[in-house]
Amino acid sequence: MNRKRKTFDIDLPDEGGAASVEHPAPRRRGPMASAISENAEAGQERNRAVKAIREENDALAHEFVALREAGHVIQPLPLGDVHSTLLARERLSAEDEELDELVTSIRDVGLSNPIRVLERPDGSGFELVQGRRRLNAYRKLFEETGDEEWASVPAAIMPDGPADIAGLYRRMVDENVVRKDISFAEMAHAAQNFAADPATGTSDVDKAVAELFKSASYSKRSRIRSFVSLLEKLGDVLLHPTEISRNLGAALEAAMKKRPGLVAEIRAALSDGGNRDARKELDILGRFVGETDSGKGSDSNLALDGDREPPQGSESAGQGGRTKTTFHIESAAGQVKCTAAVGRLEIKAERDFSSIDRRQLERAITSLVDDLG
């Protein structure tokens, strides 16, 4: 069966030219579409900015937490929340004749270095670790002025607070003895407090010294025990025990061991109704061991000593019998206390001088002495 094929007519363009193709004209976006697009782009940009801010805030928050955990964040603490009863009780805190100078300095130029505290195990506030004079200066300023500016003291809260009272004692002692200025009388009193506190579990003072001062040398622990004995015999009649140097304290303890009756003689000499300053008390004590003493000997002080300080009133003591000059200066390391006496120049600052290279320290001291002429 034959099928017919259908044919289709196809119009082909002329060979002389290509077929023309018509393209539709682009559609214009209306005002509403443009506004929506622009808003979308602005929203995306806003979201990117918000994300960047959040990331930066998260980074800053982590940095702040790390600084706080390291004890580098300074915050104001109400004076009533800061306690100073464990390391050195008020019985050892004689009147500070130079506190007014510190009060004036803080009032005029502010506090150079914050105090350092640890959180108390019972949650009753904070225990002072460093900065007793600064804390007392703030208390005096608030008492005298009633100004809320002085009602709180800048403080750095130290990290990893101990879980018990014994740990708090050890932490405080380590911070002060190893790195800061603390007298032998305060160290001895800390051992007495440690032994007397039922929460520490140690009632023997010798064991308390060994427990508290593990990082100290044997000779230093021996000196501390000498001061413990000294405080037990004379503590109630001493007005300025923190001013007794380690050498004078050791000499007194040795003399009292050799001559038991000397204790009564010293107590009688100090029974003047409390009408004496630190210098007079040291002179009284010094007479019983054949020497005078004008300052406390602390391992963290930088001191330039002569062979021996002459007795008060000698010709070499200076005009008018003045044997000691004390002043404060501001430095890059904070406030520095300087005490100049016959045969002795003492510099106290809140830094560890033992960490300085010995050759650098020798050059600095040589330059200082040479400049003084």
Side-chain angles (χ1 to χ4, degrees):
M1 180 175 178
N2 295 331
R3 294 181 178 178
K4 287 186 177 181
R5 292 182 177 179
K6 294 183 179 181
T7 59
F8 298 91
D9 293 332
I10 300 175
D11 293 331
L12 298 175
D14 295 337
E15 295 181 358
S20 60
V21 180
E22 294 184 0
H23 297 283
R27 297 177 62 187
R28 291 184 177 181
R29 290 192 302 176
M32 182 64 70
S34 298
I36 293 173
S37 176
E38 291 173 359
N39 285 339
E41 292 176 358
Q44 292 174 355
E45 183 65 28
R46 205 164 39 245
N47 290 336
R48 285 193 292 268
V50 169
K51 182 181 179 182
I53 292 172
R54 285 177 178 170
E55 290 176 350
E56 183 180 3
N57 287 342
D58 288 342
L60 290 174
H62 286 298
E63 183 179 356
F64 175 81
V65 170
L67 289 171
R68 184 179 62 187
E69 291 179 348
H72 299 318
V73 174
I74 310 243
Q75 62 186 76
L77 292 180
L79 294 177
D81 289 350
V82 182
H83 306 277
S84 55
T85 58
L86 294 183
L87 186 60
R89 298 185 189 275
E90 292 303 319
R91 188 171 64 87
L92 285 185
S93 303
E95 183 178 355
D96 189 344
E97 298 175 356
E98 297 163 3
L99 185 62
D100 287 340
E101 298 177 14
L102 181 58
V103 167
T104 301
S105 174
I106 292 175
R107 181 191 292 115
D108 292 345
V109 301
L111 187 65
S112 300
N113 298 306
I115 65 171
R116 292 173 70 82
V117 298
L118 273 171
E119 189 171 357
R120 286 184 145 209
D122 59 2
S124 61
F126 302 88
E127 189 68 30
L128 181 71
V129 175
Q130 297 163 6
R132 180 163 55 96
R133 295 185 71 247
R134 282 165 277 167
L135 177 62
N136 288 340
Y138 262 76
R139 286 172 173 165
K140 186 170 184 179
L141 280 166
F142 183 62
E143 181 182 346
E144 291 179 348
T145 66
D147 193 332
E148 287 299 316
E149 178 183 0
W150 312 114
S152 299
V153 58
I157 301 175
M158 299 173 63
D160 301 325
D164 54 22
I165 291 293
L168 180 57
Y169 271 103
R170 286 192 293 269
R171 184 69 180 274
M172 291 170 62
V173 165
D174 180 71
E175 287 292 330
N176 283 274
V177 174
V178 176
R179 306 174 194 176
K180 300 296 176 183
D181 173 30
I182 180 175
S183 71
F184 274 84
E186 287 172 306
M187 288 186 274
H189 198 56
Q192 289 179 317
N193 290 339
F194 188 91
D197 196 326
T200 64
T202 300
S203 58
D204 183 85
V205 178
D206 285 345
K207 291 181 180 179
V209 171
E211 179 71 19
L212 283 177
F213 303 98
K214 290 180 179 178
S215 58
S217 65
Y218 173 81
S219 60
K220 188 167 188 174
R221 290 197 298 270
S222 178
R223 297 269 189 173
I224 296 170
R225 291 188 179 96
S226 294
F227 268 81
V228 169
S229 179
L230 179 68
L231 291 180
E232 289 174 348
K233 296 170 182 174
L234 304 175
D236 59 326
V237 294
L238 292 172
L239 298 181
H240 309 277
T242 59
E243 298 298 321
I244 300 175
S245 71
R246 57 185 176 184
N247 292 334
L248 177 59
L252 283 167
E253 176 57 20
M256 287 187 292
K257 278 186 177 180
K258 188 176 181 179
R259 293 174 49 204
L262 189 62
V263 176
E265 295 179 28
I266 297 176
R267 293 181 65 88
L270 294 175
S271 60
D272 55 1
N275 185 25
R276 61 180 181 277
D277 58 14
R279 177 68 192 192
K280 183 177 180 181
E281 182 166 285
L282 293 175
D283 285 341
I284 293 173
L285 296 174
R287 286 199 296 270
F288 287 95
V289 291
E291 65 177 73
T292 59
D293 192 277
S294 63
K296 54 185 175 182
S298 173
D299 287 353
S300 58
N301 295 341
L302 174 61
L304 310 177
D305 285 305
D307 292 335
R308 189 172 186 179
E309 183 180 349
Q312 183 178 10
S314 64
E315 291 182 359
S316 59
Q319 292 181 343
R322 183 172 184 174
T323 59
K324 184 171 71 170
T325 301
T326 302
F327 55 92
H328 293 80
I329 60 174
E330 291 294 333
S331 71
Q335 191 174 81
V336 179
K337 178 182 177 181
C338 303
T339 303
V342 178
R344 182 178 181 85
L345 175 61
E346 188 176 66
I347 300 173
K348 296 181 183 179
E350 292 200 356
R351 63 174 302 177
D352 182 6
F353 289 108
S354 65
S355 66
I356 303 174
D357 180 75
R358 178 177 176 178
R359 288 170 294 182
Q360 179 184 354
L361 200 57
E362 288 176 350
R363 288 194 299 268
I365 293 174
T366 301
S367 176
L368 171 63
V369 175
D370 290 343
D371 288 344
L372 292 175

